[in-house]
Amino acid sequence: MQDWLTSITDLANGYGVNLYIFAGIYIGGVPLFWLGIAWIVRNLRKKISLTLPVLFTGLITISSYLYVIAVGNDVPAWVYVVIGALIAYGMVALAMNIRSKRNELFEYDMIVIGGGSAGLTSSGIAASLGAKTIMIEAHRLGGDCTWTGCVPSKALLHLSQHRIGVDQRVDPYERMRQIRNDVYHDADRPEIYEKMGVDVAFGKASFIDKHTVKIASEDGERIITGKKVIIATGARAAVPPIPGLDSVPFLTNENLFELTETPQHLVIIGAGPIGIEMAQAFRNLGAEVSVIDMAPRIMPRDHEALTSQLQTHLEGQGIKFYLGAGIETIGGSIDVRLKGGTIVSGSHLLIATGRRPNIESLNLDAAGVTFTKKGITIDASCRTNIKPIFAIGDVTGQFAFTHMSEHTAKVAALTALLKFPMKTTPELTPWVTYTSPELAHVGATEAELKEKGVSFFTYRFPYSKIDRAVTDEATMGEIRIYAKKRNGKIYGVDILGERAGDMIGYYAMAMKNGLSLRNIADTIFPYPTYGLGARRAADQWYIQAQSPSAIKWVQRFFGYRGPLPRKPGVDEVV
């Protein structure tokens, strides 16, 4: 005790202050300091705010030095650090307290409207970040992808390609619906998201204002408020205004997968990915199939040479195409009259002419959200013109792919909740048509590069040189890479062939991470795989970059005596 009192005396003398005042504050603060520690422990146990006890304890700790600052000299630097830290802590605590009080004005931190792939992903992310979240779905979780899109269509393609159902061993339609239900049970059930902490509500949602949403269901109406709102209501089949269409029964993706038997003759209007996939699926299942489109070729977004190969292949399977064909009327049972007089008659009609956003019932005007007939207008962070409201997936009219719905969900949820402005990368969005063979693309198309005047070289590699394709007797197709000749920077890729959808992912990852053809070519791929074809295609950059003059200098320097290698031609594949 004597040593302690002596040290206090030395401090007072060193700082040039009155000993009795300094010692009184110093010694009197000891019990108050421990009282502050007890206060902190109490609040920790009760899980209540630590702001006041921490500030109190901090001030008591430096109280005697505040006297030194006022009348003394040579104040230690650590005192100013503590004072600054206490001020900063107080300001942050005050801001957080104000924000907490504001948040208490809202029932939820996040409202997600729509329970498809975009809504499910954003709800899960929000809940994982500790946000109080509610997901509102008008019908059933899973959305278009699970019930009327990706899952049933790919299941039916798989079943048809393996001739299941043709030999009557398995009912392909019942099996397709069983697969669909399995996916829903494993990934989309409400219980899965409720376990994450997400409130799941069923009913139609509409805005009252930018923070207030009404849920209308059979049980009545409920009004909720949310600090942030994500709109993920998706899209539905767009039915064109064809004269007579309303007088005949027709299918869209919304009821196609409820068929119980194979149509005798399926007429498909629309030669995009959905139309082409279903054309092959039903042809494999034994139906006659006719495809009609106003465009001069199938799938105009993809490379013309590859779509031409695919069309020829499909025609060889017995599918009939009527392209560049306008439709005058539809009548009779299913009689489609084309301009010029040709009539295409069938037993069933499938409309596959695009999508339209589900926005009509949202009352977007009440929230002030800008939209067009194509969808809700958003920026690169998926934010609408109203700051607390975001829109993701098909409802924006920009990203009609499930993988982009999930990507935009991540961007929107993290931007909204963490205040970190992530951005979408539509220019790196891959897409795949899951016919057999598959057709895939990522990045810029060859036509876009030519239109922009970008200097590039096309590196081609046929499936006939991929050993795994040879062993699988799947040699139809090729890989086309558009890249900078000097350093192998990849601008875009087209692939037609077996497992093209899996292979396009290698290039998408490379482009996202700035990897060149050289990086891919220097990577070890297992043999024999289709993935090795991605590397073999990248090898063509090395081959085309080969310089006979450089090799001549190598020969001179090392004294090599072999013949000078021949530079391969522009279209030559090695």
Side-chain angles (χ1 to χ4, degrees):
M1 179 63 72
Q2 184 177 354
D3 291 341
W4 181 55
L5 293 174
T6 300
S7 68
I8 295 175
T9 302
D10 293 340
L11 286 173
N13 293 333
Y15 294 138
V17 296
N18 185 287
L19 170 63
Y20 298 105
I21 297 175
F22 181 81
I25 298 173
Y26 198 105
I27 297 171
V30 172
L32 293 176
F33 172 81
W34 288 109
L35 179 63
I37 295 298
W39 192 1
I40 292 174
V41 172
R42 170 185 172 273
N43 284 18
L44 279 172
R45 287 177 174 175
K46 292 190 173 184
K47 296 181 179 180
I48 57 179
S49 174
L50 298 177
T51 304
L52 289 179
V54 168
L55 291 175
F56 172 82
T57 305
L59 286 172
I60 292 300
T61 302
I62 63 170
S63 56
S64 58
Y65 290 94
L66 294 178
Y67 169 62
V68 174
I69 291 174
V71 300
N73 51 56
D74 296 329
V75 181
W78 67 264
V79 175
Y80 293 106
V81 172
V82 172
I83 292 172
L86 288 173
I87 293 173
Y89 176 78
M91 293 177 63
V92 170
L94 177 63
M96 292 178 66
N97 186 56
I98 293 172
R99 176 171 290 177
S100 177
K101 294 297 183 184
R102 289 182 58 193
N103 288 348
E104 289 175 4
L105 299 173
F106 305 110
E107 186 177 355
Y108 289 96
D109 300 313
M110 176 66 76
I111 297 174
V112 178
I113 304 176
S117 57
L120 293 171
T121 302
S122 56
S123 296
I125 292 174
S128 71
L129 293 174
K132 186 180 180 184
T133 305
I134 183 170
M135 176 169 51
I136 308 165
E137 168 56 39
H139 187 30
R140 54 190 174 182
L141 297 186
D144 178 75
C145 181
T146 298
W147 298 105
T148 61
C150 309
V151 172
S153 65
K154 303 315 170 275
L156 199 62
L157 275 166
H158 161 72
L159 295 166
S160 73
Q161 288 166 2
H162 290 78
R163 309 296 290 174
I164 294 173
V166 175
D167 56 10
Q168 303 303 313
R169 290 180 299 171
V170 176
D171 181 339
Y173 305 103
E174 185 61 33
R175 177 59 183 149
M176 173 266 294
R177 286 186 281 271
Q178 182 181 340
I179 293 172
R180 182 174 64 179
N181 288 334
D182 288 345
V183 169
Y184 168 75
H185 185 272
D186 290 342
D188 300 339
R189 286 179 297 116
E191 295 84 355
I192 295 173
Y193 290 86
E194 289 167 349
K195 189 175 180 180
M196 294 181 187
V198 178
D199 290 347
V200 180
F202 289 94
K204 286 191 174 182
S206 58
F207 283 96
I208 295 176
D209 60 44
K210 64 182 180 180
H211 289 292
T212 310
V213 173
K214 178 175 70 175
I215 306 173
S217 66
E218 295 179 355
D219 298 328
E221 293 185 352
R222 175 185 173 189
I223 306 297
I224 62 172
T225 58
K227 187 177 180 182
K228 303 290 183 180
V229 182
I230 291 179
I231 304 171
T233 49
R236 63 188 184 279
V239 179
I242 301 174
L245 180 59
D246 56 355
S247 67
V248 300
F250 62 87
L251 301 165
T252 66
N253 71 299
E254 294 169 17
N255 56 359
L256 174 67
F257 303 109
E258 306 310 315
L259 289 175
T260 57
E261 58 182 24
T262 301
Q264 180 180 350
H265 185 176
L266 178 64
V267 178
I268 301 175
I269 298 178
I274 295 175
I276 295 303
E277 286 181 357
M278 292 301 95
Q280 187 178 54
F282 281 96
R283 180 58 189 153
N284 288 343
L285 290 171
E288 290 186 53
V289 178
S290 299
V291 180
I292 303 169
D293 201 299
M294 293 180 63
R297 64 185 183 92
I298 67 173
M299 296 186 296
R301 292 182 64 189
D302 289 280
H303 196 282
E304 185 171 4
L306 301 186
T307 57
S308 177
Q309 291 181 52
L310 179 59
Q311 180 181 333
T312 300
H313 176 71
L314 295 174
E315 287 173 335
Q317 293 182 328
I319 299 173
K320 297 179 180 179
F321 289 92
Y322 300 85
L323 303 176
I327 300 175
E328 287 188 351
T329 60
I330 299 178
S333 176
I334 300 292
D335 296 318
V336 182
R337 178 181 291 275
L338 307 180
K339 292 179 180 179
T342 301
I343 296 177
V344 182
S345 299
S347 61
H348 293 71
L349 176 64
L350 171 62
I351 303 297
T353 51
R355 313 279 290 163
R356 60 183 300 181
N358 294 322
I359 57 177
E360 292 82 2
S361 63
L362 290 173
N363 196 22
L364 294 173
D365 289 332
V369 174
T370 300
F371 63 94
T372 69
K373 64 180 181 180
K374 293 182 179 180
I376 297 175
T377 305
I378 59 172
D379 64 14
S381 296
C382 300
R383 195 191 299 274
T384 70
N385 62 303
I386 303 301
K387 189 174 181 179
I389 301 179
F390 295 73
I392 57 178
D394 292 4
V395 75
T396 67
Q398 297 184 22
F399 314 111
F401 306 112
T402 296
H403 45 283
M404 278 304 287
S405 292
E406 294 177 349
H407 174 63
T408 56
K410 179 180 180 181
V411 169
L414 294 179
T415 300
L417 295 172
L418 298 183
K419 313 299 182 183
F420 185 80
M422 294 185 64
K423 296 185 182 298
T424 59
T425 53
E427 70 279 3
L428 296 180
T429 304
W431 66 73
V432 184
T433 301
Y434 293 92
T435 48
S436 180
E438 295 177 352
L439 183 60
H441 172 83
V442 69
T445 66
E446 189 175 36
E448 288 171 345
L449 293 171
K450 289 179 178 179
E451 183 178 344
K452 293 178 181 178
V454 176
S455 177
F456 70 97
F457 190 85
T458 300
Y459 299 92
R460 300 172 59 186
F461 197 77
Y463 263 62
S464 59
K465 289 185 175 291
I466 300 174
D467 290 356
R468 181 57 185 271
V470 175
T471 63
D472 289 353
E473 298 183 306
T475 55
M476 178 185 174
E478 67 174 314
I479 302 169
R480 300 175 65 96
I481 306 171
Y482 318 116
K484 183 180 288 189
K485 195 169 186 179
R486 180 175 60 84
N487 60 10
K489 177 183 177 181
I490 305 170
Y491 294 125
V493 182
D494 284 299
I495 306 176
L496 173 67
E498 189 76 12
R499 305 188 194 179
D502 294 321
M503 292 175 65
I504 204 71
Y506 292 122
Y507 297 109
M509 182 171 63
M511 294 173 70
K512 172 68 175 176
N513 293 282
L515 302 179
S516 66
L517 290 180
R518 177 176 182 172
N519 298 132
I520 297 175
D522 291 345
T523 301
I524 301 173
F525 284 77
Y527 176 92
T529 61
Y530 287 94
L532 183 61
R535 198 221 73 195
R536 291 288 308 279
D539 288 344
Q540 303 306 303
W541 175 81
Y542 266 125
I543 294 165
Q544 290 294 334
Q546 181 175 287
S547 169
S549 59
I551 299 300
K552 188 180 295 184
W553 279 104
V554 170
Q555 287 181 319
R556 289 176 179 175
F557 186 81
F558 290 102
Y560 298 148
R561 297 167 295 169
L564 193 67
R566 179 184 62 85
K567 185 175 177 62
V570 172
D571 293 326
E572 188 175 352
V573 176
V574 179

